[in-house]
Structures are given as C-alpha cells and as structure tokens.
Amino acid sequence: MSRRAFIRWLLAIGAALVGLSAFFSQMVKKKFMAEDQPALSSENPEPSQAAAQPSAEPLPTGPLMSYFILSDLHISVGDPLTGKKLRQALDDITHFDGPVDAIMLTGDLTDSGTERDYKELRTIVNEYKLPPVHANMGNHDYYTIWINKANNWDQAAVPNGKSDEVSREQFKKFFGYKTLYNDFTTKGHSILLLSQEAYVQERPEVGEGAWYSDEQLAWFKERVKALYQPGRPLFVMTHQPLPPNGTDGGTHQLIRAIQFRETLKPYKNVFVFCGHRHQDFQNGTPHYVQETFHYFHNASVGRTLNRAYQQEAKNKAQGIYVQVFADKVVVRGREFSNRTFLEEANWSIDLQKAQA
C-alpha cells in the first residue's frame, strides 16, 4: 500500500469512529431525556387534575356538647351536709377544666319538698354563675305533705293541709316551667326530662314510684320522634329506675315502664339516665345496662350510699359528666369532694351511624 492510500484509509476509519460516537451520544441522550421528561404527543394533552380528596370531613377531635347530671341533692335545712356537698359539686363545675353546656338535676332536689328547703336550694344555686340548669321531680319533692306547720315529720296528720298540687306548683315556680316534663336542646343535641306527676296524697297506690300520665307519655312519644336525628344521640332523664325488662314497675320504680321502653325501641343511640338508688360508683354495683338503649344509674350528690346503706360513703358527693363526640358518647363518674374522675365509672359508647 502506498503512503497516500494509507492516509486515505486512516481518514476513513476516523470518520467512521466520529459517526459512531455521535450515534451513541444521541442514543444515550434520548434514554436519559425519556426518563426525565414526559414524551411529547401530537395530540393536545388533557389538563392536569388534582388528586381526589376524601368526600367526608375528618371527625372533630373535641366534644360537640358536654353537660353534668346531678341526682338526689336532698337539700335540707335540717341537714347542713347536703348543702355542703352541693356547694362542692357546683364549685367543681364552675372551675371545671372542660366545657359545661348545661346541668341536669334528676329528682329529689330537696329532702322534704318544703318551702324552706326550696329557699335553701335557691340560696346555694344563686352563689354560682352556672350554665342552663334543668330538672325533673323525684318522690322526695312531694314530701311536704308529711311535714306539719312546725316543720316536723307528722305522718298522723297527712297531708298536713297540703297537697300533691302544692308540690308540683313549687317545682314549676322554682324553674319557671309551665309543665313538669320538658326538653332542652343545645348545640344540636336534645335532652328530655320526665317527671313524676303524682304522689300518695292523690294516688296512694303509687307509693314511691314514678307515675306518668297518658298526656306525658303521648308528649314523650311525640318529642322523641321530633327530636331524634339519625347518627346522633338523644338523652332522656328520669328519677326512679326501670323495673326488669318486660314488666311495669311499682314503688321506687318507673311504673309505666313497658310503654316507656316501647317508645324508645325504634330509635338508636338513645341514652337514659336515672337517679334514686344513690349507690356509690365504687361499691361494685352495676351502673350501666345495655338494652335497646344505653341505661345509666347515677349516684347521689347529697347522700351517696354503699350497698349496705352504711355511713362509709357519707362524705362522698358523686355525679356524671357526659361528653358528646361525632362518633361516640363518653360517660364518666365524678367525685366532687376531691374533684376527680372515678376509674370504676368510665364508659365510651360508639354511636351507630345513620343509614345511607
């Protein structure tokens, strides 16, 4: 091969190498650009869309509504300890580290239903700046018929110139009610308060039981239907407890219990609270029973008792704190004498959701 031919051969090899280098460079560039950038399309691209968001808002973390239930105050001028305990409860509530939208008093507000006991109750309540207070009547709120003009117990002289009507009017006047049974709604949640309508002066057969008239039970049925909201709790306050399921009650019980239960049977998320038993939350006595509704027995502010009705619990003053959340109701027993919650009385009830 001549020198000139050899040079032409080298130039041809160089050109080929440069071409191969450019080819591989383009291939590498396309590969990495394809990974870093979206491919172009001759079609008009669809506008970008935001990621789908959940349709339901997250549940609120705080309570939607909260209130206290105080049962069996038994305020008596002759028993200063009852006034002391109520003051402990109200002082705790007014300094409570949490929301309090209302206070429910579920019967036996006074020990004898006399004018002077109501006056003492008024004196104590007026010492505090309180949220709305509502109440129903218990059997002791009819006891004025047992008390004579000297403010002594006088069973032989019953009704001592008084009547069940006098007791009803005293109660209504104290709270500014037109009727004995009422309902209260705050923050979209409702509470119904049923009241004993007669005592032994008018109906000797009822004893210490809670008698409700046809009118009250018709009102109860209508108001439950009107106030009930699917997915939300509805609260009912009584004084006397219910008898065993399937029976009507007698003395110390809610008498027309079969009709009471039938009224609530179609509805979910109903919570019923009663007083009257006075039993200490810490004595092992059951305070919660699940029926078609959730049923709670409160303790007592004025006279908390243990099982044997002894004096071990005489310095205790107990009640219930209720918190309503979007998905549950929390019910907690409170000891007002030392401002603590009780581990033995702590329930969290999930709410059944409304049907779609």
Side-chain angles (χ1 to χ4, degrees):
M1 178 182 292
S2 67
R3 181 173 180 274
R4 180 174 292 178
F6 177 74
I7 291 173
R8 286 199 299 269
W9 180 79
L10 285 178
L11 291 173
I13 293 294
L17 290 175
V18 170
L20 285 173
S21 175
F23 174 77
F24 282 113
S25 175
Q26 287 293 333
M27 291 294 292
V28 171
K29 183 177 180 181
K30 287 181 179 180
K31 172 177 174 58
F32 285 101
M33 285 182 66
E35 292 179 352
D36 292 340
Q37 298 178 4
L40 298 178
S41 171
S42 60
E43 300 177 358
N44 292 328
E46 292 289 333
S48 61
Q49 297 186 9
Q53 298 296 321
S55 59
E57 295 182 2
L59 294 175
T61 56
L64 304 175
M65 193 265 279
S66 305
Y67 65 99
F68 272 98
I69 307 173
L70 308 183
S71 298
D72 298 277
L73 314 179
H74 285 274
I75 292 300
S76 171
V77 174
D79 184 0
L81 186 58
T82 60
K84 175 184 176 182
K85 290 184 177 183
L86 179 57
R87 286 185 172 93
Q88 287 176 336
L90 297 182
D91 193 63
D92 184 15
I93 291 170
T94 54
H95 294 89
F96 189 68
D97 186 19
V100 182
D101 298 307
I103 299 173
M104 300 294 123
L105 308 179
T106 58
D108 285 4
L109 315 177
T110 63
D111 197 44
S112 63
T114 59
E115 185 177 344
R116 69 172 189 165
D117 282 351
Y118 271 108
K119 184 177 180 180
E120 178 69 7
L121 177 60
R122 174 66 67 193
T123 297
I124 296 171
V125 169
N126 285 347
E127 293 173 4
Y128 300 89
K129 185 177 180 180
L130 301 172
V133 178
H134 289 272
N136 56 15
M137 289 188 78
N139 52 310
H140 271 257
D141 299 315
Y142 284 93
Y143 271 26
T144 188
I145 64 169
W146 304 104
I147 309 300
N148 62 24
K149 292 181 179 179
N151 286 308
N152 295 319
W153 186 274
D154 193 349
Q155 187 171 351
V158 169
N160 286 290
K162 303 170 189 174
S163 66
D164 292 350
E165 179 64 20
V166 167
S167 296
R168 291 190 292 266
E169 291 304 314
Q170 285 184 144
F171 172 80
K172 288 190 293 184
K173 181 179 179 181
F174 189 91
F175 288 97
Y177 291 155
K178 293 182 179 179
T179 59
L180 296 181
Y181 39 93
N182 296 276
D183 60 75
F184 171 74
T185 298
T186 183
K187 296 187 173 179
H189 295 84
S190 298
I191 303 168
L192 293 95
L193 299 105
L194 304 183
S195 270
Q196 177 177 343
E197 290 184 79
Y199 188 52
V200 297
Q201 185 266 331
E202 292 178 349
R203 291 179 172 269
E205 72 276 11
V206 307
E208 303 299 317
W211 180 80
Y212 301 158
S213 66
D214 290 341
E215 290 78 13
Q216 180 169 190
L217 289 173
W219 171 89
F220 180 48
K221 185 175 183 178
E222 183 276 326
R223 294 308 291 157
V224 169
K225 183 178 180 180
L227 295 171
Y228 175 75
Q229 299 181 63
R232 289 193 181 189
L234 182 67
F235 302 99
V236 180
M237 306 290 146
T238 71
H239 178 66
Q240 283 91 333
L242 288 162
N245 206 340
T247 65
D248 276 333
T251 186
H252 296 288
Q253 296 173 332
L254 196 159
I255 294 173
R256 302 179 70 176
I258 292 176
Q259 190 170 347
F260 176 88
R261 284 182 163 110
E262 284 298 316
T263 296
L264 297 180
K265 192 173 182 179
Y267 304 97
K268 300 176 181 179
N269 302 320
V270 175
F271 292 74
V272 178
F273 296 86
C274 75
H276 192 72
R277 297 197 316 165
H278 293 232
Q279 291 297 300
D280 182 357
F281 283 124
Q282 297 177 298
N283 68 7
T285 302
H287 284 79
Y288 168 58
V289 178
Q290 184 172 2
E291 298 191 20
T292 62
F293 48 85
H294 304 284
Y295 183 36
F296 292 88
H297 296 254
N298 202 356
S300 167
V301 174
R303 292 175 181 164
T304 305
L305 301 172
N306 67 10
R307 284 184 176 183
Y309 289 87
Q310 297 170 351
Q311 296 300 309
E312 296 176 15
K314 68 178 181 179
N315 292 318
K316 292 185 176 182
Q318 296 178 354
I320 282 176
Y321 182 55
V322 180
Q323 292 177 296
V324 180
F325 295 85
D327 58 343
K328 64 184 177 181
V329 171
V330 175
V331 178
R332 304 183 71 184
R334 182 76 170 176
E335 176 57 58
F336 296 115
S337 64
N338 59 15
R339 302 188 181 191
T340 60
F341 283 115
L342 304 172
E343 294 181 3
E344 298 85 351
N346 189 356
W347 302 275
S348 181
I349 311 294
D350 291 336
L351 295 172
Q352 295 187 48
K353 296 180 180 178
Q355 297 296 321

